Amino acid sequence: MSRTAVRRSVATATTALLSLGGLLLASHPALADVSNGGFESGSLTGWTSAGTTSVVGSGAHTGTYAGRVGGTSPTNGDSSIAQTFTAPTGATQLSFWYSVTCPDTVTYDWATATLTDATTGTTTTALAKTCTNGQGWKQVTSSVTAGHSYTLKLVSHDDNYAGDASYTLYDDVSFTTATPPPGLTQVSTDPFTNSSSQHATELEPDTFAYGNTIVASSQVGRFTDGGSSDIGWNTSTDGGTTWQHGMLPGITTYQGGTWARVSDPAVAYDAKHGTWMVAGLVIDSNVNGAGVSVSRSTNGTSWQNPVIAVGNDGQGYDKEWIVCDNSTSSPYYGTCYVEVDVTSSGNAVVMSRSTDGGATWSAPVAPSGGPSGLGGQPLVQPNGTVVVPYSANGSSIRAFNSTNGGSSWSSSTLVANVSSHGVAGNLRDGEGLPSAEIDGSGKVYVAWQDCRFRSGCPANDIVYATSTNGTSWSSVTRVPIDATTSGVDHFIPGIGIDPATSGTTAKIGLYYYFYPNANCTTPTCQLEVGYISSANGGSTWSAPATVAGPMSLSQIAGSTQGSMVGDYISTSVVSGKAVSVFAVGKAPTNGQAFDEALYTAGPLTVTGGSARSTTHGAATVPSPHLTRPLPVQH
């Protein structure tokens, strides 16, 4: 067996605060009850050691010292340090930092960490086996329960092979509070009180921006078996700094309409006709998706009763989306398009169009070949070509297009097969659904969650593919949020692109949900919201920022397919600043079952950074690889 011993210096990272477009994201304040967690005593006081361990006075994450587990010369087997402590009041996470020197492979040498809850008798893997070299300091967080007794064991394993000693530095072990970062603003809340749905709950938002105006919509008052009491509107006229909100009239019986429920909100703007539109999936009393409604407004704050664009014909429908052609150079300027799938016909995808500001809609047309799927998100290029990426029922991402204003639609082409890790905790995560956006030149970006870059599919990254014509697609590219060995699971992406930018200067904002520990359970999973940006079309990215959470799954709406923040979220980029609204659950204090509302982190500047995206290291995905079925209900 031939090996190469490589020794690289350990990088240090001491930044504790990250400024993003006026929002200051700070490390959560540390709590007590970890003895000598920063090793600043210059010894391992407070820790129980086994094997080769020491304290080093150089290369610490912060301060002067770090704990070293393993040696600079080969050792045989596990070396470890461990400590038992009680999680203090207010603690929701245990955090530590590690830096691995491992010139071998994870087959032979590795760092790992476990956290045992003596109160419940359960052990979780806080750090999965990892073997990297020269990648610097990485952070691990694990959810904890205040008052419980825990034992943290930090390990480095070496197989005693001459010439490639492996060791791990550990530092800054601490409990942290769940205080959300400053700047998180509540946009709206659930006003309904009907006993048939869950209150207070808001979830599954979409956004669209035109000029400095942003309109967001969401489900409000979620039913467990599908749909909501109504769709809410949330409108900002200053680029996402301040918001107005209300409920769409005339859809459900709770707002003067006739439908039992409504779901799947999507927003568009028709510049030619000066009209905002919110599409929804109307649901009848049998919980059947009966068709697509379109509510219209000239200012984003005063809304008309809806028209039915598709359906109300006895068939079943799901996951509609809407877009308008706003390019004055397009021969189809002012044409709007709705995509929806017909569940009663095997998820047959159909398209409808409007040329009068959404007042009337054409009979639906199926693309060539009759594709089956859901979650299509149509986009319009400057020349009028409409590109529609969609999920082929969770197995792959495909796309079709129209070059004649929606009179006919092409057959679909493959964007990529999907390799997806089943998200833990019975969270409804929209597995396989794409988030699609377009830059100023017409280049289409399609993002989704995928595990192809992680050996064994233990967690998802956010990945994307691009196309300039809707038929030929790039290789799948990984967004570098963290290391592929991080143990963090990322899902429900919402990608946005500044329409005034394009190509190598395209400004991209990406919000997403994540678990710091992919290997969690329903009681222990901690759900958070992250943000990352690129200022050069996705070549390199900023450091990620956590903008909301952690929240427990018991704090968000339940559904028959799991706890729910939505099958999708969305991002809009206005003048170089990324805006998203997203569902955040908190402990209810007003006697209701939930306090799940829409929040925003404010407009966050697209700064970009130096973390390079990659297409390398992905497993080949020749056929679908899913670890559980894709949700298809409303």
Side-chain angles (χ1 to χ4, degrees):
M1 184 182 300
S2 174
R3 306 186 187 182
T4 302
V6 180
R7 180 61 47 81
R8 298 181 183 176
S9 61
V10 178
T12 61
T14 58
T15 301
L17 297 175
L18 175 63
S19 178
L20 284 171
L23 176 63
L24 195 62
L25 302 178
S27 301
H28 295 319
L31 301 173
D33 291 355
V34 176
S35 175
N36 194 26
F39 305 96
E40 291 306 296
S41 68
S43 70
L44 292 173
T45 300
W47 295 89
T48 300
S49 300
T52 303
T53 61
S54 63
V55 168
V56 296
S58 62
H61 175 247
T62 62
T64 303
Y65 298 103
R68 185 174 69 198
V69 181
T72 56
S73 299
T75 57
N76 188 22
D78 286 351
S79 297
S80 66
I81 57 174
Q83 187 176 151
T84 298
F85 30 60
T86 299
T89 300
T92 60
Q93 291 182 324
L94 179 72
S95 168
F96 65 86
W97 291 79
Y98 70 96
S99 178
V100 184
T101 297
C102 185
D104 207 334
T105 70
V106 76
T107 303
Y108 303 101
D109 297 341
W110 57 78
T112 188
T114 58
L115 183 66
T116 299
D117 184 339
T119 307
T120 61
T122 58
T123 297
T124 58
T125 301
L127 174 62
K129 290 181 180 180
T130 183
C131 177
T132 58
N133 200 40
Q135 293 192 10
W137 286 98
K138 305 291 183 182
Q139 186 182 27
V140 170
T141 58
S142 292
S143 59
V144 297
T145 301
H148 285 206
S149 175
Y150 292 91
T151 298
L152 175 67
K153 186 176 184 180
L154 305 173
V155 179
S156 185
H157 179 90
D158 191 357
D159 67 349
N160 204 28
Y161 194 90
D164 64 359
S166 294
Y167 62 87
T168 306
L169 301 185
Y170 291 101
D171 204 357
D172 295 333
V173 183
S174 65
F175 289 104
T176 60
T177 70
T179 304
L184 197 64
T185 301
Q186 186 170 341
V187 173
S188 59
T189 192
D190 172 7
F192 296 107
T193 59
N194 58 297
S195 60
S196 50
S197 60
Q198 301 167 92
H199 307 293
T201 59
E202 293 186 298
L203 49 85
E204 199 165 81
D206 180 41
T207 66
F208 190 83
Y210 188 81
N212 222 30
T213 298
I214 306 170
V215 173
S217 62
S218 73
Q219 296 188 45
V220 182
R222 173 72 189 185
F223 289 82
T224 56
D225 57 347
S228 61
S229 300
D230 197 22
I231 288 175
W233 60 264
N234 307 273
T235 299
S236 173
T237 57
D238 55 10
T241 301
T242 61
W243 296 83
Q244 303 174 66
H245 68 92
M247 299 295 126
L248 293 180
I251 304 176
T252 68
T253 55
Y254 307 103
Q255 284 293 104
T258 59
W259 297 100
R261 312 175 184 186
V262 65
S263 190
D264 297 345
V267 186
Y269 182 70
D270 180 351
K272 180 177 181 179
H273 299 97
T275 303
W276 287 96
M277 303 180 200
V278 174
L281 182 78
V282 291
I283 299 174
D284 62 26
S285 58
N286 295 318
V287 198
N288 176 60
V292 179
S293 63
V294 175
S295 301
R296 296 177 297 146
S297 172
T298 58
N299 59 9
T301 57
S302 299
W303 294 86
Q304 303 174 30
N305 287 345
V307 299
I308 297 298
V310 178
N312 198 16
D313 55 4
Q315 299 189 86
Y317 295 88
D318 196 12
K319 286 287 178 290
E320 94 298 330
W321 209 259
I322 188 169
V323 74
C324 296
D325 187 340
N326 291 330
S327 298
T328 55
S329 59
S330 166
Y332 309 108
Y333 175 55
T335 301
C336 299
Y337 305 90
V338 159
E339 182 274 351
V340 68
D341 65 280
V342 187
T343 57
S344 54
S345 297
N347 281 1
V349 176
V350 295
M351 301 292 301
S352 177
R353 63 176 176 166
S354 172
T355 57
D356 58 5
T360 61
W361 294 82
S362 68
V365 174
S368 177
S372 170
L374 75 166
Q377 294 196 0
L379 301 162
V380 187
Q381 296 180 305
N383 64 358
T385 296
V386 186
V387 180
V388 189
Y390 68 97
S391 169
N393 299 307
S395 66
S396 61
I397 307 296
R398 301 186 67 88
F400 58 88
N401 65 75
S402 174
T403 59
N404 55 17
S407 296
S408 62
W409 300 85
S410 73
S411 59
S412 70
T413 57
L414 179 68
V415 177
N417 289 319
V418 172
S419 181
S420 182
H421 167 78
V423 174
N426 194 32
L427 176 73
R428 177 167 167 166
D429 65 325
E431 186 176 349
L433 292 183
S435 174
E437 262 295 355
I438 193 167
D439 75 7
S441 69
K443 185 177 183 177
V444 175
Y445 290 70
V446 184
W448 69 96
Q449 63 207 49
D450 198 289
C451 66
R452 73 186 63 211
F453 289 91
R454 299 192 177 220
S455 178
C457 191
N460 293 307
D461 294 299
I462 305 303
V463 303
Y464 65 92
T466 65
S467 176
T468 57
N469 58 14
T471 56
S472 300
W473 293 86
S474 71
S475 298
V476 176
T477 301
R478 176 181 179 269
V479 180
I481 299 171
D482 46 41
T484 56
T485 57
S486 69
V488 180
D489 197 9
H490 319 80
F491 38 85
I492 317 180
I495 192 170
I497 304 174
D498 191 332
T501 65
S502 62
T504 58
T505 58
K507 293 186 175 181
I508 305 172
L510 175 67
Y511 287 80
Y512 53 92
Y513 283 91
F514 69 98
Y515 286 153
N517 177 15
N519 188 28
C520 60
T521 62
T522 299
T524 64
C525 288
Q526 295 289 292
L527 184 62
E528 304 187 38
V529 181
Y531 169 72
I532 194 169
S533 69
S534 172
N536 54 14
S539 294
T540 59
W541 294 77
S542 68
T546 300
V547 297
M551 64 195 94
S552 68
L553 299 185
S554 64
Q555 294 174 329
I556 59 178
S559 80
T560 53
Q561 294 174 334
S563 302
M564 190 173 182
V565 289
D567 292 335
Y568 53 82
I569 58 172
S570 171
T571 301
S572 296
V573 183
V574 178
S575 300
K577 294 184 177 181
V579 179
S580 180
V581 297
F582 37 82
V584 174
K586 297 183 177 181
T589 57
N590 56 1
Q592 292 185 303
F594 298 95
D595 182 8
E596 182 182 16
L598 292 189
Y599 288 79
T600 181
L604 300 184
T605 300
V606 174
T607 60
S610 59
R612 187 164 297 279
S613 61
T614 184
T615 61
H616 301 298
T620 302
V621 189
S623 59
H625 172 69
L626 292 170
T627 54
R628 65 180 174 87
L630 176 70
V632 295
Q633 299 300 312
H634 317 308

